[in-house]
Amino acid sequence: MKQLLLTLVLLTLVLSTHGQGKNKEADKKAIEKLIHKEIEAFLARDWESYEDCWLHEPYTRHFLTSKASFNGKIGWENQKEFLLQSFQERGPRNYKGEKTNISIEVFGEAAYATFNEEYIVGPDEGPTMRTGINNAFFLKREGDWKFVCMNIVNT
């Protein structure tokens, strides 16, 4: 009887661990898809899609640092106000952007990712390439992953 009980406990543990591994991989794929959706929406100036990528909370954060400046927005409403103005003032972007070298770690309902951001600026501004190093945090709400914090360092 002890052996049967021990076997059932071990089997349950193995099956639950295996299931968690599958869930983590599914979560990582969902987060990677979200990372790509966010940049595509930003470059297309698709505000609704961009807004859908973010958690709308007072603790949401977005930081952009370059050699010349720092721009930090704390809270979704502050970030939204700043980005909506940016989306309205500037026309369509004439460059390509992509996220590369994505590394994601999932911790239950939270996740952390690092990735590079590469922009190739089009001929109107002279062909140049800008890169950024990103750190982002995500929370899972109602089954969907959302950005809660992003820090971009342009290099």
Side-chain angles (χ1 to χ4, degrees):
M1 187 67 170
K2 276 184 172 180
Q3 261 187 331
L4 179 60
L5 184 59
L6 181 61
T7 302
L8 288 174
V9 168
L10 288 174
L11 183 59
T12 303
L13 184 62
V14 167
L15 290 175
S16 69
T17 304
H18 181 68
Q20 288 174 356
K22 282 186 177 181
N23 287 343
K24 267 191 176 184
E25 286 308 309
D27 285 336
K28 285 181 178 184
K29 285 180 183 178
I31 291 166
E32 186 167 349
K33 185 177 177 181
L34 178 66
I35 289 168
H36 292 296
K37 176 184 176 183
E38 190 262 356
I39 187 68
E40 290 165 9
F42 180 74
L43 291 174
R45 296 220 182 300
D46 178 353
W47 177 254
E48 286 183 27
S49 292
Y50 183 85
E51 185 178 39
D52 187 50
C53 295
W54 284 85
L55 195 61
H56 303 171
E57 295 292 344
Y59 50 83
T60 300
R61 295 185 170 13
H62 190 280
F63 302 109
L64 174 62
T65 306
S66 69
K67 291 178 185 177
S69 67
F70 169 78
N71 182 341
K73 297 298 174 195
I74 297 174
W76 172 250
E77 290 305 316
N78 292 328
Q79 183 178 337
K80 178 179 173 181
E81 181 182 331
F82 172 75
L83 287 167
L84 272 174
Q85 182 179 359
S86 178
F87 270 56
Q88 292 167 358
E89 288 178 355
R90 299 182 183 128
R93 288 188 160 72
N94 64 346
Y95 51 88
K96 180 183 175 199
E98 127 180 14
K99 311 272 181 150
T100 61
N101 298 327
I102 298 171
S103 176
I104 302 167
E105 291 298 326
V106 177
F107 309 96
E109 302 288 303
Y112 170 74
T114 59
F115 46 91
N116 295 341
E117 191 169 271
E118 298 176 356
Y119 290 106
I120 300 171
V121 179
D124 293 346
E125 299 178 39
T128 60
M129 183 171 195
R130 292 188 333 210
T131 60
I133 300 167
N134 295 28
N135 299 303
F137 296 92
F138 306 85
L139 291 176
K140 195 173 194 179
R141 291 293 186 261
E142 298 175 12
D144 293 325
W145 287 99
K146 303 287 184 179
F147 279 90
V148 70
C149 179
M150 184 167 6
N151 180 24
I152 305 167
V153 178
N154 284 333
T155 57

